[in-house]
């Protein structure tokens, strides 16, 4: 069980997460050990358990850390995205940021690792879905606002947000061989714009 209270050190937590991302991507989920992660982080094994509880929770935290290193915040405060209230412009911008996160080197590496290990460790798929929920909520909140102001008609914002994210991420991953190849800026924009267009057409008032 992870410890609670003032004994937690933010610096040690960051060192453990950086070490976990390295060890998981280098060795795979099954072969990665808490001992190895602790050694790379320069902390004791009990310190790792104190912060994260177990290896599965540490893997989830590593995914979230890799995502947050690229972008933090919700739809109204996502760095690099100035929202205007225009659905086409804003969804294209949000889709571009989703691609930035999904195709970043660390997130891509952890996603490929999940695919490789999921047959033997099905809990990783649940872990991955949980780590993606915040991005879907951000888009859902945006679509809910546009439904409220009448610019779109979105009876189920959560479902529409999942559909939008899946459209953007799937196309980006296929085009880049799951993050192994670069995505040109013009293609990044086109993928996001095409997904935005489909959502707007489906939810035009």
């Amino acid at each position: 069980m992870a410890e609670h209270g003032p004994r937690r050190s933010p610096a040690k937590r960051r060192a453990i997460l950086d070490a976990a991302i390295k060890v998981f991507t280098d060795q795979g989920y099954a072969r990665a050990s808490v001992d190895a992660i602790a050694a790379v982080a320069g902390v004791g094994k009990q310190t790792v358990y104190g912060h994260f509880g177990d290896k599965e929770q540490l893997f989830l935290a590593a995914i979230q850390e890799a995502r947050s290193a690229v972008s933090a915040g919700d739809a109204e405060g996502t760095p690099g995205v100035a929202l205007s209230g225009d659905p086409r412009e804003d969804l294209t911008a949000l889709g571009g940021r989703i691609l930035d996160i999904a195709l970043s080197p660390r997130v891509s590496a952890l996603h490929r690792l999940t695919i490789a290990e999921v047959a033997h460790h099905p809990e990783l798929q649940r872990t991955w879905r949980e780590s993606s929920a915040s991005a879907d909520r951000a888009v859902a909140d945006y679509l809910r606002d546009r439904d409220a102001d009448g610019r779109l008609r979105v009876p189920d914002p959560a479902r529409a947000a999942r559909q939008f994210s899946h459209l953007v991420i799937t196309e980006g991953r296929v085009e880049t061989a799951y993050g192994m190849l670069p995505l040109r800026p013009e293609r990044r924009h086109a993928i996001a714009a095409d997904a935005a267009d489909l959502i707007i057409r489906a939810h035009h008032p």
Side-chain angles (χ1 to χ4, degrees), residues 3 5-16 43 47 51:
E3 69 182 23
R7 289 181 296 168
R8 286 183 176 179
S9 163
K12 286 183 179 179
R13 178 182 173 85
R14 174 56 61 86
I16 293 167
V43 301
T47 300
H51 278 271

Side-chain angles (χ1 to χ4, degrees), residues 16-83:
I16 293 167
L17 287 172
D18 288 344
I21 293 170
K22 175 175 174 51
V23 174
F24 280 131
T25 55
D26 287 351
Q27 300 183 15
Y29 181 81
R31 292 179 295 281
S33 69
V34 173
D35 285 312
I37 292 167
V40 172
V43 301
K45 181 167 67 174
Q46 289 307 313
T47 300
V48 177
Y49 286 125
H51 278 271
F52 299 101
D54 58 31
K55 190 167 81 168
E56 183 181 346
Q57 290 303 309
L58 178 54
F59 186 70
L60 172 58
I63 296 171
Q64 292 170 334
E65 172 66 15
R67 290 177 181 276
S68 65
V70 182
S71 176
D74 60 21
E76 296 298 328
T78 303
V81 178
L83 300 179

Side-chain angles (χ1 to χ4, degrees), residues 85-202:
D86 176 78
R88 189 177 304 277
E89 179 181 329
D90 292 343
L91 286 173
T92 299
L94 289 168
R97 289 302 288 156
I98 289 171
L99 281 171
D100 289 343
I101 296 168
L103 300 179
S104 66
R106 281 185 160 188
V107 173
S108 293
L110 289 167
H111 185 249
R112 293 192 299 270
L113 169 61
T114 300
I115 293 171
E117 302 278 6
V118 72
H120 302 292
H121 300 278
E123 70 275 9
L124 295 183
Q125 178 60 20
R126 175 180 57 79
T127 298
W128 192 265
R129 285 198 304 268
E130 289 175 0
S131 77
S132 304
S134 60
D136 289 346
R137 283 195 300 270
V139 177
D141 288 345
Y142 178 82
L143 293 173
R144 191 173 292 108
D145 289 344
R146 298 295 74 77
D147 179 75
D149 66 21
R151 297 194 186 195
L152 295 174
R153 184 177 180 277
V154 192
D156 190 341
R159 182 177 66 179
R162 287 195 306 273
Q163 291 169 340
F164 176 71
S165 295
H166 291 170
L167 285 167
V168 170
I169 292 171
T170 299
E171 181 118 8
R173 283 179 175 153
V174 169
E175 188 148 333
T176 63
Y178 287 78
M180 297 293 289
L181 302 173
L183 186 67
R184 299 191 312 276
E186 61 269 24
R187 283 300 300 148
R188 170 188 176 277
H189 181 271
I191 289 169
D194 286 348
D197 183 66
L198 285 171
I199 292 297
I200 290 167
R201 286 174 182 269

